[in-house]
């Protein structure tokens, strides 16, 4: 049935594309890196990509990374509007965060001691980020395990001037929230560097919901310190190496459970260090990188808990152009995972190869495969087939047929809670199809796409800990429209996502909807306007549809499913620049209507109206 759903979309979009005769230019010449591990025009790839630009990030006011990602089509970040220190769960195309690979400058991040090895977004400061590329759909061929639902590549700030430049911001707002950021950078012929420091502190709100308003729940504050140092050394005009170091530490309060206050505290640390490099030659380039992540968490409560993990990633790959029509990317990746007090290491060695074919008539095809050798599970092969066709230089029709692979995380296998060393790896297959088209001399764009994803041997946390069930099946569609000229920017998107899990443990298949905390329907609207060259204003409206959640009663230990109401949030932002745009004052207002009668997580509070104001500076 779902294959018919995807096929119908393909046929309908092809017919629509053939009907278009608008020969105007288009924005498909925008260049992205994440889609193919090399600079590639959007017109030449058949993958679904959302780009958050430097300008968008600079006009994000007091948002954090979770809140900015939550505004993007197909993305839900649960906890984005809860207490700032509340854990953030990312869902891409309906899949939990363990199926989305987070990259930092193209190098994977991983937290082995985390649930499923997923990475905590609170460990990354938006003030250190210049650009974000969100790549939807399975990307296991180029990026390996965990990239079942997609990849989010977070790109660090880069130096832009040959003289030292100092920049940053200071802001203050609701809940006694203060942020300070300072950045110094320089780019010369031989040496370039970027040093960044961010401090954020807030009193916050009570994490747990006080339904009476009279229980005097304490506020759960949050403090973050983040340092980033990146150095680029141009050994020659063709050979460059870039060592880096990042350190993030945050602490905060948290409560015992839903509706249950407590004076608990947690501490978390990320140390991320490594080296990135490349060598360019006449017909291609060689890339190599190494990344090391050390993460540690310390929870202080009546049930104290300390966890830590280490992740190593080493990779080398070649980007070879044979001629204007054929390009090859081939590489080898090694990853290892360890957690505290477990005398074992999981590792994966993965060679991969991908070919990109470009025809002069607008046809582009990517075809690739990856061989995975896991020290626990032996061998596995994944593939990708991504054709696209550009019609009249303004309409792109595409399809993606891919497979994915996710071995159990070391925490699921050997961790302190619910571990199961007999888990089987998860294997996925995904089909996508869509269309992107442009009108009105590059000003108006429309995109529509659908997806169908099956994950076999899906791992869940059940009554007896981690276990494999039969299959997870998710599918849906999304549509987006964008308009932009020199003064006005408009965008609107709609996403429909649903899914179910199948359990065959009882001897017969039992299927049920299980996408808890994820809306079937989501609408996101944005409008920005440059009233004058110095004055910019914007507003967003975000509708999140009905959801369900699982509630564990801390008194009776019973579990029940609860319904979460739909809600709509309205935000606004204004910025005024002066002194030749070196100084910018901003005010950021979230949840203008002060809506607090909804849950992201059942039993946990959300923020009401928040107002933050501040100053950006470049010296």
């Amino acid at each position: 049935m779902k294959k018919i759903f995807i096929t119908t979309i393909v046929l309908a979009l092809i017919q629509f594309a053939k009907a278009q005769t608008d020969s105007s230019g288009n924005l498909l010449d925008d260049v992205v890196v994440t889609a193919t591990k090399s600079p590639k025009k959007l017109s030449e790839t058949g993958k679904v990509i959302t780009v958050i630009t430097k300008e968008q990030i600079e006009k994000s006011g007091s948002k954090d990374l979770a809140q900015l990602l939550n505004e993007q089509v197909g993305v839900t970040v649960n906890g984005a509007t809860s207490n700032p220190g509340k854990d953030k769960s990312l869902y891409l195309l309906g899949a939990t965060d363990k199926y989305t690979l987070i990259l930092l400058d193209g190098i994977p991040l991983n937290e082995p001691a985390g649930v499923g090895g997923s990475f905590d977004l609170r460990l990354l400061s938006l003030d250190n980020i210049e650009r974000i590329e969100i790549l939807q759909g399975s990307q296991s061929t180029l990026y390996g395990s965990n990239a079942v639902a997609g990849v989010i590549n977070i790109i660090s700030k880069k130096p832009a001037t040959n003289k030292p430049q100092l920049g940053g911001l200071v802001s203050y707002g609701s809940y006694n929230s203060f942020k300070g950021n300072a950045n110094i950078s320089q780019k010369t012929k031989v040496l370039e560097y970027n040093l960044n420091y961010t401090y954020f502190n807030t009193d916050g709100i009570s994490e747990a919901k006080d339904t009476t308003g009279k229980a005097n729940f304490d506020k759960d504050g949050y403090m973050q310190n983040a340092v980033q140092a990146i150095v680029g050394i141009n050994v020659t005009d063709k050979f460059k190496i870039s060592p880096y170091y990042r350190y993030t530490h945050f602490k905060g309060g948290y409560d015992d459970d839903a509706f249950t206050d407590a004076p608990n505290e947690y501490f978390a640390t990320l140390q991320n260090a490594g080296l990135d490099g490349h060598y360019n030659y006449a017909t291609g380039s060689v890339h190599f990188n190494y990344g090391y992540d050390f993460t540690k968490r310390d929870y202080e409560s009546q049930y104290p808990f300390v966890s830590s993990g280490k992740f190593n990633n080493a990779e080398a790959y070649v980007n070879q152009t044979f001629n204007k029509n054929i390009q090859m990317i081939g590489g080898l990746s090694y990853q290892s995972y360890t957690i505290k007090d477990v005398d074992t290491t999981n590792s994966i060695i993965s060679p991969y190869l991908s070919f990109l074919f470009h025809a002069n008539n607008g046809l582009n095809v990517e075809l690739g495969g990856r061989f995975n050798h896991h020290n626990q599970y032996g061998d596995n092969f994944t593939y990708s087939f991504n054709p696209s066709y550009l019609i009249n230089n303004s309409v792109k029709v595409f399809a993606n047929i891919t497979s994915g692979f996710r071995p159990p995380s070391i925490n699921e296998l050997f961790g302190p809670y619910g571990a199961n060393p007999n888990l089987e790896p998860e294997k996925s297959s995904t089909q996508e199809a869509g269309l992107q088209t442009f009108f009105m001399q590059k000003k108006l764009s429309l995109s529509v796409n659908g997806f169908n994803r099956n994950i076999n041997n899906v791992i869940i946390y059940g009554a007896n800990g981690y276990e494999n069930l039969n299959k997870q099946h998710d599918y849906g569609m999304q549509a987006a429209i964008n308009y932009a000229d020199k003064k006005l920017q408009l965008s609107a998107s709609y996403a429909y996502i649903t899914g179910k899990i199948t359990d065959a443990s009882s001897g017969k298949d039992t299927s049920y909807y299980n996408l808890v905390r994820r809306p079937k329907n989501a609408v996101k609207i944005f409008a920005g306007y440059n009233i004058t060259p110095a004055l910019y204003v914007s507003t967003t409206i975000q509708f999140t549809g009905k959801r369900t959640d699982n509630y564990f009663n801390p008194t009776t230990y019973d579990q029940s499913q609860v319904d979460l109401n739909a809600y709509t949030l309205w935000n606004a932002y204004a910025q005024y620049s002066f002194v030749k745009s070196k100084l910018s004052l901003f005010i950021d207002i979230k949840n203008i209507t002060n809506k607090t009668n909804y849950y992201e997580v059942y039993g946990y509070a959300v923020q009401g109206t928040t107002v933050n104001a501040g100053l950006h500076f470049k010296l």
Side-chain angles (χ1 to χ4, degrees):
M1 179 66 184
K2 302 309 175 296
K3 291 183 178 180
I4 296 174
F5 167 76
I6 293 293
T7 304
T8 302
I9 288 179
V10 173
L11 294 175
L13 294 178
I14 290 175
Q15 292 301 316
F16 179 79
K18 289 181 178 179
Q20 306 307 307
T21 58
D22 185 351
S23 61
S24 64
N26 59 78
L27 299 178
L28 293 171
D29 287 339
D30 285 354
V31 175
V32 296
V33 176
T34 314
T36 61
K37 286 197 172 182
S38 64
K40 187 67 61 178
K41 294 179 181 179
L42 284 174
S43 60
E44 297 175 348
T45 177
K47 297 182 179 180
V48 181
I49 304 172
T50 300
V51 176
I52 305 175
T53 65
K54 177 181 179 180
E55 291 74 18
Q56 289 175 279
I57 294 174
E58 289 178 344
K59 293 176 179 178
S60 294
S62 60
K63 294 186 182 76
D64 59 22
L65 176 60
Q67 291 167 342
L68 183 61
L69 291 174
N70 195 47
E71 294 178 349
Q72 312 309 313
V73 61
V75 179
T76 297
V77 181
N78 198 264
T81 64
S82 298
N83 194 44
K86 181 82 171 71
D87 55 293
K88 318 298 178 186
S89 299
L90 184 146
Y91 302 100
L92 180 59
L93 297 181
T96 61
D97 44 13
K98 67 181 180 179
Y99 299 115
T100 298
L101 181 65
I102 305 294
L103 306 175
L104 194 50
D105 293 327
I107 302 173
L109 293 173
N110 194 281
E111 187 176 357
V115 178
S118 56
F119 193 79
D120 189 342
L121 296 177
R122 294 173 297 178
L123 291 169
L124 298 176
S125 171
L126 188 59
D127 301 291
N128 295 338
I129 298 170
E130 181 169 291
R131 177 183 171 95
I132 301 172
E133 295 181 359
I134 303 172
L135 183 57
Q136 296 185 5
S138 177
Q139 310 299 327
S140 289
T141 295
L142 284 181
Y143 291 104
S145 62
N146 290 47
V148 171
V151 170
I152 298 179
N153 189 13
I154 297 168
I155 300 168
S156 301
K157 284 185 174 179
K158 301 293 187 295
T161 63
N162 58 10
K163 294 182 179 180
Q165 184 177 62
L166 177 66
L169 69 84
V170 289
S171 69
Y172 180 80
S174 301
Y175 311 118
N176 194 29
S177 300
F178 172 80
K179 176 185 280 189
N181 169 253
N183 176 273
I184 185 169
S185 63
Q186 184 181 10
K187 182 178 183 179
T188 67
K189 184 177 180 180
V190 176
L191 181 69
E192 57 189 65
Y193 63 87
N194 186 289
L195 307 176
N196 201 300
Y197 170 71
T198 295
Y199 171 80
F200 175 65
N201 188 72
T202 180
D203 290 346
I205 61 175
S206 170
E207 237 185 36
K209 177 74 170 179
D210 174 11
T211 55
T212 67
K214 300 177 181 179
N216 295 319
F217 285 5
D218 68 305
K219 293 181 179 180
D220 295 300
Y222 175 77
M223 183 183 72
Q224 179 196 65
N225 288 275
V227 176
Q228 174 174 279
I230 302 175
V231 178
I233 304 170
N234 296 296
V235 181
T236 70
D237 59 348
K238 296 181 179 179
F239 181 39
K240 180 179 180 179
I241 57 174
S242 299
Y244 61 86
Y245 176 77
R246 301 178 181 92
Y247 174 83
T248 301
H249 175 76
F250 67 78
K251 67 177 183 178
Y254 71 99
D255 288 326
D256 265 353
D257 213 321
F259 307 111
T260 308
D261 189 33
N264 303 330
E265 282 193 310
Y266 62 82
F267 303 85
T269 299
L270 163 69
Q271 294 190 66
N272 171 242
L275 177 75
D276 185 26
H278 67 267
Y279 175 77
N280 298 325
Y281 56 92
T283 58
S285 57
V286 177
H287 299 257
F288 55 91
N289 62 65
Y290 168 74
Y292 168 78
D293 299 341
F294 172 76
T295 52
K296 182 179 180 180
R297 297 180 181 276
D298 184 354
Y299 295 88
E300 297 183 355
S301 69
Q302 60 177 329
Y303 305 106
F305 174 65
V306 178
S307 68
S308 64
K310 299 177 182 179
F311 171 67
N312 289 274
N313 178 90
E315 182 179 21
Y317 64 93
V318 176
N319 185 338
Q320 174 67 47
T321 300
F322 295 105
N323 54 51
K324 66 178 182 179
N325 301 114
I326 302 176
Q327 180 183 356
M328 180 200 76
I329 298 172
L332 178 67
S333 168
Y334 170 81
Q335 296 179 340
S336 68
Y337 311 78
T338 59
I339 59 175
K340 181 183 178 182
D341 299 329
V342 174
D343 187 23
T344 188
T345 297
N346 280 8
S347 63
I348 305 176
I349 299 176
S350 305
Y352 59 90
L353 190 64
S354 183
F355 287 92
L356 295 91
F357 303 94
H358 172 70
N360 296 329
N361 64 355
L363 177 65
N364 294 279
V365 178
E366 179 181 348
L367 179 63
R370 186 183 193 103
F371 176 78
N372 303 283
H373 176 73
H374 194 282
N375 67 326
Q376 297 281 344
Y377 299 107
D379 303 331
N380 173 267
F381 180 79
T382 59
Y383 62 86
S384 63
F385 175 57
N386 310 126
S388 66
Y389 187 61
L390 187 63
I391 304 171
N392 294 332
N393 200 35
S394 62
V395 179
K396 182 176 71 173
V397 181
F398 58 88
N400 301 320
I401 302 172
T402 56
S403 66
F405 168 71
R406 179 190 172 272
S409 72
I410 192 169
N411 194 46
E412 292 170 332
L413 290 167
F414 308 112
Y417 298 108
N420 181 358
N422 298 314
L423 290 172
E424 294 293 326
E426 299 173 296
K427 299 179 182 180
S428 69
S429 62
T430 304
Q431 303 84 40
E432 298 174 289
L435 172 146
Q436 186 178 26
T437 185
F438 288 79
F439 309 92
M440 298 174 62
Q441 292 76 46
K442 302 181 181 181
K443 296 179 181 180
L444 180 66
S445 68
L446 170 69
S447 62
V448 182
N449 66 280
F451 78 96
N452 180 60
R453 179 180 61 238
N454 286 288
I455 303 175
N456 294 319
N457 291 329
V458 63
I459 297 172
I460 67 144
Y461 193 88
N464 299 313
Y466 291 105
E467 60 180 324
N468 289 107
L469 294 187
N470 188 20
K471 182 173 67 174
Q472 176 74 43
H473 181 201
D474 305 325
Y475 62 95
M477 61 82 61
Q478 55 190 20
I481 186 167
N482 295 275
Y483 176 86
D485 60 24
K486 292 182 178 180
K487 289 189 174 183
L488 179 64
Q489 304 88 44
L490 299 172
S491 67
S493 66
Y494 167 73
Y496 171 80
I497 297 171
T498 189
K500 61 183 179 180
I501 196 168
T502 301
D503 181 3
S505 59
S506 63
K508 62 178 182 178
D509 287 350
T510 303
S511 297
Y512 54 92
Y513 177 84
N514 69 318
L515 301 190
V516 297
R517 302 178 186 171
R518 283 152 277 181
K520 286 187 177 181
N521 299 280
V523 178
K524 301 175 182 182
I525 300 171
F526 168 84
Y529 187 68
N530 293 285
I531 298 175
T532 70
L535 181 58
Y536 170 82
V537 296
S538 68
T539 187
T540 61
I541 296 175
Q542 188 165 329
F543 168 80
T544 301
K546 294 179 179 179
R547 292 142 294 126
T548 61
D549 201 354
N550 293 324
Y551 173 54
F552 297 89
N553 190 307
T555 303
T556 65
Y557 302 104
D558 291 333
Q559 177 181 338
S560 60
Q561 189 172 88
V562 294
D563 293 326
L564 304 182
N565 293 331
Y567 62 94
T568 301
L569 299 180
W570 177 29
N571 306 323
Y573 175 82
Q575 176 178 299
Y576 182 77
S577 302
F578 53 100
V579 192
K580 297 181 179 180
S581 297
K582 292 184 177 180
L583 297 176
S584 299
L585 290 171
F586 71 86
I587 183 169
D588 188 15
I589 307 174
K590 302 187 188 76
N591 194 358
I592 294 174
T593 60
N594 196 33
K595 193 171 187 65
T596 59
N597 60 342
Y598 71 94
Y599 293 107
E600 290 188 294
V601 181
Y602 186 66
Y604 288 85
V606 294
Q607 296 181 85
T609 300
T610 63
V611 180
N612 288 270
L615 173 71
H616 287 281
F617 60 90
K618 293 181 181 179
L619 305 178

